[in-house]
Amino acid sequence: MSLEKSTIIRKKDLSLLERLYIPEIVKGMTLTIRQMFTPTFTTQYPEERFQPPASFRGRPVLVEEHGVERCVACGLCSRVCPALAIEVQAGETELGKERYPEKFEINMIRCIFCGFCEEVCPEEAIIMSQEYELAFTNPQDALFGKDKLLVPIEKVQTRLDFLRSNR
Amino acid sequence: MNIIEPLIKIALVLLINLTTVAYLVYAERRVSAFIQNRVGPNRVGPMGLLQPVADIVKLFFKEDIVPTAANKFVHSLAPLISLIVALSTFAVIPFGNTIHLFGHDFKLMIADVNVGLLYLLALSSLGVYGITLSGWSSNNKYSLLGGLRSSAQMISYELSMGLSIIGVLMISSSLQLDKIVVHQGNYLMGFIPKWNIFLQPLGCITFVVAYFAETNRLPFDLPEAEPELVGGYHTEYSGMKFGLFFLAEYANMITASAVITTLYLGGWQFPFIENFGFSPLAVSLLQVAAFGVKIALVLLFFIIVRWTIPRFRYDQLMNIGWKVMLPLAILNIIITGFFILL
């Protein structure tokens, strides 16, 4: 077997005008000059903020319905989490669901925003929100307990609707 | 011999030149941003106008590293050569006609040497020493390659540049830049200003291309080709020494636009100004302003070309230099001679 010689494939030869080069430069320059007067794409960040669509996977949150979390502490999310970011400790409760998470902690330094927890959750209790401003000055701040994770259902309704429509 | 007058002129020109360099960097960043549908620096001061100040302060506070294996003396000398050469070329460029102020006539150029054009050619080729020496003294293979490329590029483009200038010399029959500008003051067929760009378009194109190569601006910026050579000749430079190279590049750009303006775009000539009946002082000032506007437009051209044309490959660069530019420049001389004989 012999290697085929690599050849330059050119569909057609350049015309004289193209080989003169100067007209092509002028063409290119008119393009760049025209681009100068088109609107910019930049978002001026601290003043203007990006409003993500419902499909955006921001930080995971626990849905709070009627003042209680939906979570039944089954521990599936913690099992499926590829980054081992979730820690759940179950406890008993008088409510109908019988189990609730005594402790629910997500280490936001470990979280990779894959959304597996949301996918695997049988109760639609943990979902990805639209919040994306997650910068910490020390690792302790990145441990999100129930106090930070619980979010009233009204605030995440768009995401829930999105999930329903894509089931 | 009055020594105060040249000193004042030098101070003024240096001041204006360095300020323009600082704001040219800002302009380049803004224009490139607009071309790429971005905003560019707009945080420091109103519209980001204080950005150059912030940049310079940052450069001054950076650590200045000299590699242990470098030749320390040449390493520090090289950026100085670059900058001094870039700035001193401006000495022979006339930025206005004779101006009458406080009962004296002032010639608006620093040094009225009778071989201005030769001085200009000599200095612009000296600039390559800064780059080559920096490449050699850094003791770094990438720097050395950058420096070598720069000198090879200089040799191949200097020739066509010199030959293009001969066309200008032939029609104005003077090496004095002042006279070359005055010579461009008439009109062709009564309505086109008799600028050299209209008299010899071919020579103008070859000269501009050669000067792009001379200033290491983008289609020909092989000495610092980032994708291949890390940083090219200034790989091993940091802090204000790098800043000096940076300043030199932009000062070179300003000088280049001034030279192109003087030789081909009529220098400080303001077409048809004699028909408006201004006072002589106003005419002189307007001419200086015209010179500034022309330089600004050429600079804008430089910037837009940088963000339009991709870098040449090294063999293409040599091909264009020797096989295209040189014959074209000679052809230009022949054509000019033909028309002079007619």
Side-chain angles (χ1 to χ4, degrees):
Chain A
M1 256 175 62
S2 65
L3 284 170
E4 263 183 64
K5 264 189 189 167
S6 64
T7 46
I8 298 166
I9 299 165
R10 188 176 277 162
K11 295 276 160 53
K12 62 178 172 61
D13 275 344
L14 299 176
S15 68
L16 179 71
L17 209 62
E18 282 167 338
R19 266 184 292 144
L20 275 181
Y21 206 66
I22 304 273
E24 297 295 307
I25 291 178
V26 174
K27 251 194 231 170
M29 281 178 63
T30 49
L31 179 79
T32 37
I33 292 172
R34 241 186 299 135
Q35 284 300 315
M36 283 175 72
F37 301 103
T38 52
T40 55
F41 287 111
T42 313
T43 322
Q44 296 290 335
Y45 169 64
E47 293 92 29
E48 302 170 38
R49 279 160 204 242
F50 168 60
Q51 186 53 49
S55 59
F56 185 84
R57 293 200 304 263
R59 78 174 176 99
V61 294
L62 289 175
V63 182
E64 186 179 5
E65 207 175 15
H66 311 306
V68 197
E69 70 281 310
R70 279 177 166 182
C71 180
V72 295
C74 62
L76 275 176
C77 47
S78 136
R79 274 305 287 269
V80 81
C81 183
L84 305 179
I86 306 177
E87 189 189 341
V88 193
Q89 272 169 24
E92 267 183 61
T93 172
E94 302 298 315
L95 292 170
K97 63 177 182 179
E98 290 179 5
R99 276 160 65 90
Y100 84 107
E102 245 172 20
K103 181 186 177 193
F104 198 107
E105 200 175 75
I106 302 183
N107 187 343
M108 290 311 298
I109 292 176
R110 305 202 105 192
C111 179
I112 57 170
F113 307 95
C114 60
F116 283 5
C117 46
E118 174 191 53
E119 223 172 283
V120 83
C121 185
E123 302 285 326
E124 250 178 11
I126 182 166
I127 60 169
M128 310 302 278
S129 68
Q130 294 177 356
E131 286 170 49
Y132 53 85
E133 279 160 339
L134 297 161
F136 311 103
T137 45
N138 86 59
Q140 291 307 312
D141 297 346
L143 296 173
F144 280 21
K146 262 166 81 173
D147 53 325
K148 282 183 187 162
L149 288 173
L150 283 174
V151 167
I153 189 163
E154 299 82 36
K155 283 195 179 169
V156 288
Q157 198 57 52
T158 49
R159 179 68 181 178
L160 286 170
D161 294 342
F162 168 79
L163 290 174
R164 294 272 163 81
S165 64
N166 286 287
R167 270 284 137 80
Chain B
M1 181 68 193
N2 189 356
I3 199 164
I4 306 292
E5 186 193 325
L7 276 182
I8 290 173
K9 280 187 206 162
I10 289 171
L12 265 179
V13 167
L14 266 186
L15 189 74
I16 293 170
N17 224 336
L18 286 175
T19 324
T20 323
V21 165
Y23 278 92
L24 187 59
V25 179
Y26 168 77
E28 168 132 47
R29 291 173 67 181
R30 276 303 268 229
V31 170
S32 67
F34 291 147
I35 287 174
Q36 298 164 350
N37 296 343
R38 295 184 287 118
V39 177
N42 66 346
R43 293 280 153 167
V44 193
M47 289 169 64
L49 275 173
L50 292 178
Q51 185 70 40
V53 183
D55 284 346
I56 291 167
V57 169
K58 182 197 81 173
L59 278 173
F60 266 116
F61 279 105
K62 276 200 162 184
E63 190 189 356
D64 184 26
I65 300 164
V66 180
T68 27
N71 184 325
K72 294 198 176 47
F73 176 65
V74 183
H75 190 80
S76 330
L77 185 70
L80 289 179
I81 295 181
S82 277
L83 186 67
I84 289 171
V85 166
L87 288 176
S88 51
T89 318
F90 224 89
V92 290
I93 288 168
F95 46 90
N97 205 351
T98 312
I99 192 166
H100 193 77
L101 265 184
F102 318 119
H104 287 284
D105 280 338
F106 292 106
K107 219 165 192 189
L108 287 185
M109 64 197 293
I110 294 173
D112 188 11
V113 278
N114 52 5
V115 288
L117 205 49
L118 287 183
Y119 171 86
L120 204 145
L121 277 177
L123 270 193
S124 65
S125 23
L126 260 185
V128 82
Y129 274 88
I131 293 175
T132 314
L133 285 181
S134 71
W136 171 78
S137 67
S138 299
N139 207 348
N140 171 319
K141 50 194 171 231
Y142 298 116
S143 302
L144 184 61
L145 271 176
L148 287 180
R149 279 182 178 192
S150 165
S151 45
Q153 188 173 318
M154 196 276 286
I155 291 169
S156 18
Y157 280 83
E158 192 85 327
L159 272 175
S160 45
M161 191 174 120
L163 288 175
S164 337
I165 289 183
I166 289 181
V168 176
L169 273 183
M170 284 161 83
I171 45 179
S172 53
S173 58
S174 170
L175 279 169
Q176 243 169 309
L177 291 169
D178 213 16
K179 286 192 178 146
I180 291 174
V181 175
V182 171
H183 188 262
Q184 296 178 68
N186 301 327
Y187 301 100
L188 285 171
M189 297 180 288
F191 62 96
I192 305 172
K194 198 179 159 196
W195 295 353
N196 284 336
I197 186 172
F198 300 116
L199 290 180
Q200 17 192 309
L202 186 61
C204 180
I205 289 172
T206 46
F207 182 77
V208 170
V209 173
Y211 227 112
F212 264 89
E214 193 79 10
T215 49
N216 294 325
R217 283 295 290 182
L218 197 78
F220 307 109
D221 76 334
L222 285 143
E224 50 174 302
E226 294 92 357
E228 314 157 24
L229 297 184
V230 192
Y233 60 90
H234 56 56
T235 308
E236 297 289 359
Y237 281 87
S238 55
M240 205 49 209
K241 280 183 194 158
F242 169 74
L244 287 184
F245 274 123
F246 205 63
L247 286 183
E249 186 192 332
Y250 283 87
N252 258 326
M253 250 171 91
I254 294 174
T255 316
S257 347
V259 171
I260 291 169
T261 311
T262 310
L263 292 183
Y264 288 98
L265 298 177
W268 40 260
Q269 300 283 2
F270 193 129
F272 310 111
I273 197 168
E274 62 275 8
N275 302 341
F276 298 126
F278 290 124
S279 69
L281 185 64
V283 167
S284 307
L285 290 178
L286 274 175
Q287 282 170 335
V288 175
F291 185 66
V293 169
K294 283 177 195 174
I295 285 190
L297 289 178
V298 179
L299 284 175
L300 190 66
F301 173 75
F302 262 84
I303 293 173
I304 292 174
V305 163
R306 169 164 181 192
W307 296 97
T308 304
I309 308 173
R311 180 181 298 125
F312 279 103
R313 221 167 48 211
Y314 197 63
D315 58 321
Q316 291 172 333
L317 176 92
M318 287 294 155
N319 257 340
I320 293 177
W322 291 103
K323 287 189 187 164
V324 182
M325 300 277 294
L326 193 60
L328 276 183
I330 295 172
L331 184 71
N332 180 50
I333 296 177
I334 296 172
I335 295 173
T336 315
F338 182 71
F339 276 101
I340 287 176
L341 278 181
L342 273 183

